[in-house]
Structure formats: structure tokens, C-alpha cells
Amino acid sequence: MDMEETTGAEELRGNTREAPAVNVETEATLRAFVKADLLDFMERYPQFGAEDMEALENNAQFRRFCGSRYGREPLAALYGDYLLVVQDAGKAAAERAASRNARSTGGGTAGGAALTPAQKRVLDAWNEANPEMRMTAKEYLNM
């Protein structure tokens, strides 16, 4: 085996002597990014405490929204985008419900005036006593 083949094989496997130094540097850079990112987030969203940060980190919907961007992009930017999406979804749901209610033809109950059992007894008694002046439930309620 000549020297060039050995060097080529080492390059393919990765030079193990330099890898730990790169990992330490990358880890230090990552820690610095996370620390700066957390400070920026706390500055932009001061209402968040430590327990809120943990809850946000464990929020499945937020993590799903972020996807592979989590840990790579600023947390404050991701959270701001997430809030916009959630608010827009809430508004859309409210608009759909209002539209559905506006188109509704009723709740499936009998139409007309609804009397309490006591009112119905009084109306029935009136109608029996005065057959020539019978009243409907609507007329009784409008008295």
C-alpha cells in the first residue's frame, strides 16, 4: 500500500484526530447560540418564565410546527410565526362557526312559542273555560 492510498482511506473515514476539536468547537458554538437565542426570546416575550419555557419546549403542536427548524432558527421568530398561525386558525374557526350559525335553519326543536309546564296548565285551563276566546301559546306569551 502506498502513502496516497492510506491518506485517501483516512480522508474517507474522517480524520479522528481533528474530529473531537471540531465537535468541541461546534458544541461551544451551539451553546452560545442557544444562550443568545434564549435571552432574545425572553426579551421579546417577557411574560415567559422558566416553567413556561419548559412547557413550550414540550408542546407537541409547537414542536410539530417548528419541525427541523427548531434549534436552527431563532426561537422568538419561530414562536412569533406559531402565534400568527394559531391566531389565524382561531379566527377562521370562529368565522366558520358564525357562518354555519347564520345558515342554520334551527336546532331541530318544535317551532313557535315554548311554554313552561305551569304556563301550559294556565293556558289549557283558559282555553277550556273560554272556548270562544281560545289563545295560542304565542298569544298567551304576548299578553
Side-chain angles (χ1 to χ4, degrees):
M1 214 186 244
D2 64 282
M3 196 55 120
E4 289 180 14
E5 288 179 32
T6 306
T7 307
E10 286 176 359
E11 285 177 25
L12 289 175
R13 280 188 232 117
N15 191 342
T16 56
R17 292 181 200 141
E18 292 179 26
V22 171
N23 286 340
V24 169
E25 184 178 304
T26 304
E27 193 171 312
T29 304
L30 181 62
R31 283 186 192 149
F33 170 77
V34 169
K35 185 177 180 180
D37 188 35
L38 186 58
L39 290 173
D40 178 53
F41 182 85
M42 297 297 272
E43 196 173 288
R44 286 181 67 182
Y45 299 98
Q47 71 272 20
F48 272 81
E51 63 280 347
D52 296 326
M53 291 302 299
E54 187 174 326
L56 180 63
E57 196 169 297
N58 294 329
N59 184 328
Q61 290 178 329
F62 177 68
R63 293 296 293 264
R64 186 172 183 187
F65 169 80
C66 293
S68 63
R69 300 182 319 165
Y70 188 80
R72 294 181 184 184
E73 294 182 24
L75 185 60
L78 290 172
Y79 186 68
D81 291 346
Y82 175 73
L83 286 179
L84 288 174
V85 168
V86 169
Q87 289 170 352
D88 288 348
K91 286 178 188 174
E95 288 172 2
R96 279 193 310 272
S99 174
R100 194 176 310 120
N101 286 339
R103 294 188 317 262
S104 177
T105 58
T109 60
L115 299 174
T116 65
Q119 290 172 325
K120 179 139 177 48
R121 282 192 299 274
V122 170
L123 177 61
D124 288 342
W126 168 265
N127 287 337
E128 276 185 44
N130 304 294
E132 67 282 346
M133 296 188 295
R134 293 183 64 82
M135 285 192 285
T136 64
K138 186 176 183 179
E139 291 170 330
Y140 176 77
L141 291 174
N142 288 333
M143 280 187 5

